[in-house]
Amino acid sequence: MISGALEGYTCIDVSGHVAGPYASSLLGDLGCDVIKVELPNGGDTHRGRNPKYEGYGPSFRALNRNKKSVTIDLRHKKGGEILRKLLATADIFLENFRPPTRAKLGLDYEELSKLNPKLIHCSISGYGQSGPYRDKPGFDTIGQALSGMMSLVTDLDDPKVAGVSFVDHSAGVFAAHGIMAALLARAKTGAGQFIDVSLLQVAIAFIESHVSDYLNGGEAVSRENFPKGRIYSLLDCDGKPFMVHLSGHNQAWEGLLQAAELDRLIGDPRFATGKQRTDRHSEIVQILREQFRAAGCADETDRIVWRRASERFRASREREIPSCTRGDPLLCNGPDGQGRGRRKQDRRSARLGVAHQNARRGDG
């Protein structure tokens, strides 16, 4: 990304938790001057996500990098006046209030656009600005559940959360995308606009290909049938999971068989076409699992898969967070000596905890 693409723009961010702060952190990565506004007596609720860190943990810092911080009590008249003074010259206003809360605070776009006609107002809510759920609170997991996304990532007989906030982070990306598009439009029209991002709509958009397939006569996609014949969830001899993902052509299938020392199955009429492999998916999984189980040890699995994998298919162990953040050359040793998965934290983010605490004490 071009780090200075949004230099000179100012975003007033009064959102909390994940989606809104993630959106504004993306804007900050591009050089936007982001001012985070928090309520007194606790601030952003995400500060308390992990009590171990007493309101300033790693997750909060990651989501609020590249930002300045100020505490304003928006429930009081004076606080509202201070916020409006900031918005009078700002380029972007980002919030995640429920519609009735926003109206009660006098922060609807119709009112703010009179104050600043160039203001781009982005609202992230659970269910959008209209409809029967508009006034209800929304959360990442509720968006996953209502949209059908959760059925693709959990066992419905023993449901569990996915372990990652798909919807919150995707909503943040959608919001940042919409804001930048609005900035481009403003350069042509001179006017700001209102951007409506809802967790439910984002979740549905995230699985739009599945929804489209179903509405056009296809079967409902589930974990059991997505997509058969191309993706294989396997176990090595130590019972550790790994994934194999094939592209659609036969060369990928043949490459997998060669790497797994199953050359005898190349040309087998049972598996000759993509449709046949889809229809016989369970049979193929059983064959592959037996082959890797018989390989003897994890090192042997490495030899026949990782070291012999050609450009025709891809395979990877399924790793947990600790193992994928230590010693991985892609994450830890990029061309510049820093991993691609690690961001250099802007020094401004270090101000966030201090500025917030000082403001709460009335010192700054």
Side-chain angles (χ1 to χ4, degrees), residues 48-272:
R49 175 179 178 269
N50 189 335
K52 172 183 176 181
Y53 297 103
E54 297 183 354
Y56 194 55
S59 176
F60 176 82
R61 293 198 300 269
L63 287 168
N64 291 284
R65 61 185 182 270
N66 302 322
K67 301 176 187 179
K68 300 173 183 176
S69 178
V70 63
T71 299
I72 302 175
D73 194 339
L74 302 180
R75 295 163 296 194
H76 294 288
K77 181 179 178 181
K78 183 63 175 179
E81 291 173 355
I82 294 172
L83 179 62
R84 286 176 181 76
K85 186 175 180 180
L86 291 172
L87 294 175
T89 57
D91 299 286
I92 302 155
F93 177 44
L94 178 62
E95 46 86 3
N96 63 346
F97 296 124
R98 287 180 287 165
T101 302
R102 188 179 63 238
K104 183 179 179 180
L105 293 171
L107 296 175
D108 279 335
Y109 176 68
E110 289 74 16
E111 296 300 318
L112 296 180
S113 62
K114 297 174 184 176
L115 175 70
N116 181 355
K118 293 185 177 182
L119 184 67
I120 293 165
H121 181 167
C122 179
S123 177
I124 302 176
S125 62
Y127 314 101
Q129 304 302 309
S130 61
Y133 286 4
R134 70 182 289 270
D135 296 344
K136 296 182 180 296
F139 296 95
D140 174 277
T141 48
I142 304 304
Q144 289 187 41
L146 275 176
S147 67
M149 178 189 290
M150 191 171 285
S151 70
L152 302 172
V153 296
T154 191
D155 182 350
L156 296 181
D157 294 325
D158 183 23
K160 295 181 175 65
V161 297
V164 60
S165 52
F166 291 117
V167 177
D168 274 341
H169 282 85
S170 298
V173 174
F174 273 60
H177 175 78
I179 288 168
M180 287 187 282
L183 287 172
L184 285 173
R186 192 181 73 175
K188 299 177 182 179
T189 67
Q193 59 181 285
F194 183 79
I195 300 168
D196 176 14
V197 178
S198 84
L199 301 183
L200 179 58
Q201 290 171 319
V202 166
I204 293 173
F206 209 71
I207 58 171
E208 64 177 346
S209 61
H210 299 342
V211 175
S212 297
D213 283 345
Y214 177 71
L215 293 177
N216 285 277
E219 64 177 323
V221 176
S222 68
R223 291 200 305 162
E224 286 67 37
N225 64 13
F226 170 74
K228 290 182 178 179
R230 290 178 54 198
I231 297 178
Y232 302 100
S233 301
L234 305 172
L235 300 171
D236 65 18
C237 60
D238 291 336
K240 296 179 179 179
F242 67 95
M243 299 294 299
V244 173
H245 193 139
L246 306 181
S247 56
H249 51 71
N250 277 349
Q251 290 92 331
W253 165 247
E254 293 173 1
L256 171 60
L257 295 178
Q258 291 170 351
E261 298 181 347
L262 289 169
D263 303 68
R264 69 182 186 277
L265 295 181
I266 296 177
D268 189 312
R270 295 175 299 168
F271 315 123

